[in-house]
């Protein structure tokens, strides 16, 4: 053990450096791609309500999401910054990610029917957009953590999963399923337009 080091081998100085680093990161905004969508704006509201700053990155292509962004701005003022851009625009995405404390990646082309009509655009938004974000973060000296979400559509209609209405939501009837969610071992439901 190094002289002056604690039981874990780290000095108090290193520990305080790590704490200072975390504090500096906490002052940086959270970046939410797709932040004007339903899930993104609700997360933004939660973070902003707790005193955090948030950067919403959204191309506003889905009808009605501009109202979500206006609501966030009206409620939280200058603690919310908006970048109206597309995840396919790698330089704009990299600029938005540069100062992020953490990244929540919700931007996507979510309509299954659209993915069948125009699979190339679906790929460009969902796969290329995600790669653009990951590459931008990978290039940073201090990359923030990323939370990536998908869609329940990858599991199909879940007709074999009995649900019960509880208060304001539906939940799986099975206690284990309710506690753990849908297993990663569950087969995905594939459909090909080819």
């Amino acid at each position: 053990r190094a002289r002056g080091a604690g039981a874990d081998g780290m000095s108090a100085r290193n520990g305080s450096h790590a704490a200072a680093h975390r504090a500096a990161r906490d002052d940086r905004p959270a970046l939410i791609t797709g932040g004007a969508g339903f899930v993104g704006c609700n997360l933004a509201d939660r973070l902003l309500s707790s005193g955090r700053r948030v950067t919403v990155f959204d191309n506003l292509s889905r009808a009605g999401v501009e109202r979500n962004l206006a609501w966030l701005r009206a409620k939280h003022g200058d603690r919310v910054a908006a970048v109206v851009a597309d995840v396919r625009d790698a330089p704009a995405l990299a600029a938005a990610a540069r100062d992020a404390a953490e990244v929540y990646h919700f931007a996507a082309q979510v309509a299954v029917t659209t993915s069948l009509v125009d699979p190339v655009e679906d790929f460009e938004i969902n796969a290329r957009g995600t790669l653009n974000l990951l590459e931008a973060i990978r290039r940073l000296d201090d990359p923030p953590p990323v939370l990536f979400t998908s869609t329940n559509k990858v599991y199909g209609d879940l007709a074999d999963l009995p649900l019960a209405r509880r208060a304001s939501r539906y939940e799986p009837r099975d206690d284990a399923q309710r506690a753990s969610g849908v297993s990663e071992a569950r087969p995905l439901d594939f459909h090909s337009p080819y």
Side-chain angles (χ1 to χ4, degrees):
R1 192 165 74 177
R3 199 171 119 211
D8 62 0
M10 292 186 64
S11 70
R13 182 175 168 209
N14 286 346
S16 62
H17 175 72
H21 176 72
R22 281 191 301 278
R25 179 180 286 282
D26 288 345
D27 188 47
R28 294 161 46 187
L31 171 62
I32 305 174
T33 66
F38 177 76
V39 174
C41 82
N42 279 283
L43 173 63
D45 180 53
R46 179 89 174 223
L47 293 172
L48 290 158
S49 294
S50 74
R52 297 289 312 279
R53 291 182 307 124
V54 171
T55 300
V56 169
F57 187 99
D58 202 300
N59 68 2
L60 306 180
S61 63
R62 195 160 176 99
V65 297
E66 66 282 347
R67 290 190 308 262
N68 295 341
L69 183 56
W71 172 73
L72 286 171
R73 286 176 164 161
K75 184 173 179 182
H76 300 287
D78 64 358
R79 286 199 341 267
V80 61
V83 177
V84 179
D86 195 291
V87 291
R88 293 172 288 184
D89 181 348
L93 191 54
R98 187 173 303 122
D99 295 321
E102 70 256 7
V103 177
Y104 301 90
H105 183 43
F106 301 144
Q109 187 301 108
V110 297
V112 173
T113 51
T114 301
S115 72
L116 298 174
V117 172
D118 194 347
V120 172
E121 181 177 45
D122 185 78
F123 175 87
E124 287 295 325
I125 295 168
N126 294 335
R128 173 68 68 187
T130 299
L131 182 62
N132 287 343
L133 177 64
L134 295 174
E135 282 295 298
I137 289 169
R138 185 170 73 103
R139 290 186 191 110
L140 297 174
D141 291 333
D142 184 20
V146 177
L147 176 79
F148 171 76
T149 61
S150 184
T151 172
N152 65 338
K153 302 297 186 214
V154 299
Y155 299 113
D157 66 7
L158 301 175
D160 63 321
L161 181 65
L163 300 175
R165 185 171 182 158
R166 302 194 200 277
S168 63
R169 64 178 175 236
Y170 288 91
E171 297 178 345
R173 285 192 178 149
D174 180 80
D175 291 335
Q177 190 93 62
R178 191 169 48 255
S180 302
V182 176
S183 169
E184 291 294 322
R186 185 182 180 95
L188 301 180
D189 187 22
F190 289 102
H191 175 80
S192 174
Y194 305 105

